[in-house]
């Protein structure tokens, strides 16, 4: 009997036939290798061998490297407790070295940035104290005049110093402008805050760097703070406005911010955390003929709630906030871990 017809020439009979796979390519997962003395950039490359969050972080470095090109206008959104947790110098250095063109942040981050600029410090603390519940621990901190941000402490007297700084160095200048113009923009407030922070920092020979607002002021990078009222900075501004001409125009920033988006040849969004800074950064493109060409977000918020803080950047594409062919990636992890890694690796590639 002739058995030759039982053997198909495409290899099905010997088990080697592979089905058509539209979404599959031969790209096997490797195994990250680490060694003593390797650079952050080399570590990020090893992340690219792996899967899940490691692969996302590796991709974030790639997109950030492209975004930090000289021809790309970078909008940087900074939410969360990034200043009190020690991320302040990373952002200030990015501004000074020309990697950030627009900063969108919270009044809280500007408050904590200013406190350090004028001589205050945040301190390592604890979530729990031995022999006490977390509530009892926080009640003790309340009695001792110490504010807690997870495992970071801030003595309350630094807020009093900040109030004096605003009332003596920042608000009077703006009040004089309001008497002439009727109101000032929030961006004008952040600009004057940066000037005062830089001046006091140098005059008082403060050990700590002058920080984010000062770097932005000295390098003509605008800071937008659309929810400034939601902070100690905003509370102090409101209280000062009760006794004089000082007031803020919440809509005044929209035109200059939109103009920057209109004039950008290419634009990139680097978003740390969610909330107002993320949305304010992304929505800028809703009134621009173009959208973001690059986007990276570092967040811990899940997308399944439908909230913007965890929403994917792919979802933002459906709104027209990102170009259809934009390079984008979301990294779901603690930004105090991912921000230093991504920035260090991208800068290593660009500067070495």
């Amino acid at each position: 009997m002739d058995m030759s017809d039982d053997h198909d020439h495409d290899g099905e009979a010997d088990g080697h036939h592979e089905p058509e796979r539209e979404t599959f390519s031969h790209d096997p997962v490797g195994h990250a290798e680490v060694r003593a003395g390797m650079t952050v950039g080399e570590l990020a490359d090893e992340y690219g061998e792996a899967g899940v969050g490691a692969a996302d972080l590796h991709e974030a470095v790639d997109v950030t490297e492209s975004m930090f090109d000289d021809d790309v206008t970078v909008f940087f959104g900074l939410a969360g407790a990034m200043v009190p947790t020690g991320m302040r110098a990373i952002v200030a250095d990015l501004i000074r070295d020309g990697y950030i063109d627009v900063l969108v942040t919270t009044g809280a981050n500007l408050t904590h940035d200013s406190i350090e600029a004028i001589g205050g410090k945040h301190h390592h603390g604890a979530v729990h104290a031995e022999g006490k519940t977390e509530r009892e621990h926080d009640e003790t901190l309340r009695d001792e005049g110490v504010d807690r941000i997870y495992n970071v402490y801030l003595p309350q007297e630094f807020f009093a110093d900040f109030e004096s700084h605003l009332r003596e160095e920042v608000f009077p200048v703006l009040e004089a402008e309001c008497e002439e113009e009727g109101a000032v923009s929030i961006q004008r407030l952040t600009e004057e805050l940066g000037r005062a922070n830089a001046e006091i920092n140098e005059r008082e020979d403060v050990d700590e760097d002058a920080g984010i607002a000062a770097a932005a002021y000295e390098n003509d990078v605008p800071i937008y703070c659309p929810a400034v009222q939601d902070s100690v900075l905003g509370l102090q501004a409101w209280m000062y406005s009760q006794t004089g001409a000082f007031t803020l125009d919440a809509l005044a920033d929209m035109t200059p911010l939109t103009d920057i988006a209109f004039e950008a040849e290419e634009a990139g969004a680097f978003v740390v955390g969610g909330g107002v800074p993320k949305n304010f950064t992304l929505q800028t493109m809703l009134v621009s003929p173009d959208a973001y060409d690059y986007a990276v977000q570092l967040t811990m918020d899940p997308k399944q709630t439908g909230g913007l803080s965890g929403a994917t950047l792919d979802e933002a594409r459906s709104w027209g906030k990102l170009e259809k062919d934009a390079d984008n990636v979301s990294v779901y992890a603690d930004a105090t871990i991912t921000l230093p890694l991504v920035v260090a690796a991208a800068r290593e590639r660009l500067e070495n």
Side-chain angles (χ1 to χ4, degrees):
M1 182 178 179
D2 187 0
M3 301 293 292
S4 60
D5 290 338
D6 291 342
H7 294 271
D8 200 332
H9 293 295
D10 65 5
E12 282 188 45
D14 57 14
H16 294 297
H17 173 70
E18 294 184 359
E20 294 292 330
R21 291 168 173 158
E22 293 183 9
T23 62
F24 178 84
S25 62
H26 188 71
D27 185 17
V29 171
H31 297 279
E33 297 181 3
V34 296
R35 63 186 181 278
M38 69 191 307
T39 67
V40 177
E42 290 169 342
L43 177 61
D45 290 341
E46 291 298 318
Y47 274 52
E49 295 291 329
V52 194
D56 291 338
L57 189 135
H58 174 264
E59 186 178 355
V61 175
D62 289 342
V63 178
T64 302
E65 179 186 9
S66 299
M67 190 192 311
F68 281 174
D69 182 83
D70 289 341
D71 296 328
V72 180
T73 301
V74 176
F75 295 72
F76 197 96
L78 187 69
M82 300 305 287
V83 170
T85 53
M87 303 292 108
R88 180 175 183 255
I90 295 172
V91 180
D93 287 344
L94 285 173
I95 292 171
R96 290 193 186 97
D97 296 334
Y99 290 115
I100 293 175
D101 299 289
V102 173
L103 177 64
V104 181
T105 191
T106 61
N109 274 317
L110 292 176
T111 296
H112 293 285
D113 175 59
S114 301
I115 284 173
E116 296 230 356
I118 63 175
K121 284 299 295 182
H122 299 82
H123 297 266
H124 289 285
V127 178
H128 297 279
E130 186 175 352
K132 293 183 179 180
T133 66
E134 187 170 345
R135 174 170 178 161
E136 290 169 339
H137 176 47
D138 287 317
E139 288 174 350
T140 300
L141 291 175
R142 172 70 174 270
D143 293 338
E144 294 176 353
V146 176
D147 295 327
R148 180 171 72 88
I149 305 169
Y150 189 60
N151 59 2
V152 173
Y153 291 164
L154 179 64
Q156 289 179 359
E157 58 265 27
F158 291 139
F159 284 113
D161 295 339
F162 177 55
E163 178 182 0
S164 298
H165 176 60
L166 292 174
R167 288 180 170 271
E168 295 168 10
E169 305 290 340
V170 180
F171 292 154
V173 177
L174 299 172
E175 184 173 25
E177 294 178 15
C178 289
E179 290 172 349
E180 295 288 330
E181 305 168 17
V184 295
S185 69
I186 297 172
Q187 189 272 325
R188 179 70 189 96
L189 167 62
T190 64
E191 179 182 44
E192 191 61 25
L193 183 66
R195 179 207 60 78
N197 288 358
E199 186 174 303
I200 296 301
N201 186 270
E202 182 176 2
R203 190 171 76 203
E204 301 295 331
D205 194 25
V206 176
D207 288 339
E208 188 57 65
D209 183 85
I212 294 171
Y217 169 76
E218 292 169 346
N219 291 275
D220 297 320
V221 171
I223 298 178
Y224 297 103
C225 186
V228 68
Q229 303 96 317
D230 184 31
S231 64
V232 172
L233 172 59
L235 283 171
Q236 291 296 334
W238 167 71
M239 286 190 284
Y240 192 85
S241 73
Q242 302 304 296
T243 57
F246 169 64
T247 189
L248 296 172
D249 182 347
L251 297 178
D253 288 337
M254 302 300 289
T255 298
L257 176 63
T258 302
D259 287 346
I260 295 171
F262 261 83
E263 295 165 6
E265 292 184 17
E266 288 187 292
F270 194 110
V271 182
V272 181
V276 173
K278 177 182 177 181
N279 187 63
F280 200 72
T281 299
L282 295 179
Q283 78 170 15
T284 300
M285 292 303 172
L286 292 178
V287 289
S288 175
D290 299 313
Y292 285 112
D293 302 282
Y294 305 95
V296 171
Q297 83 164 342
L298 312 178
T299 185
M300 288 184 69
D301 292 302
K303 63 183 180 181
Q304 290 86 351
T305 65
L308 184 97
S309 292
T312 65
L313 294 171
D314 292 318
E315 180 180 307
R317 181 180 280 104
S318 75
W319 290 74
K321 298 171 182 176
L322 270 65
E323 295 287 357
K324 287 185 177 180
D325 61 351
D327 291 334
N328 61 275
V329 60
S330 298
V331 181
Y332 292 90
D334 182 345
T336 63
I337 299 170
T338 56
L339 178 63
L341 283 171
V342 171
V343 170
R347 294 194 63 161
E348 181 178 322
R349 292 183 184 179
L350 290 163
E351 297 170 20
N352 288 347

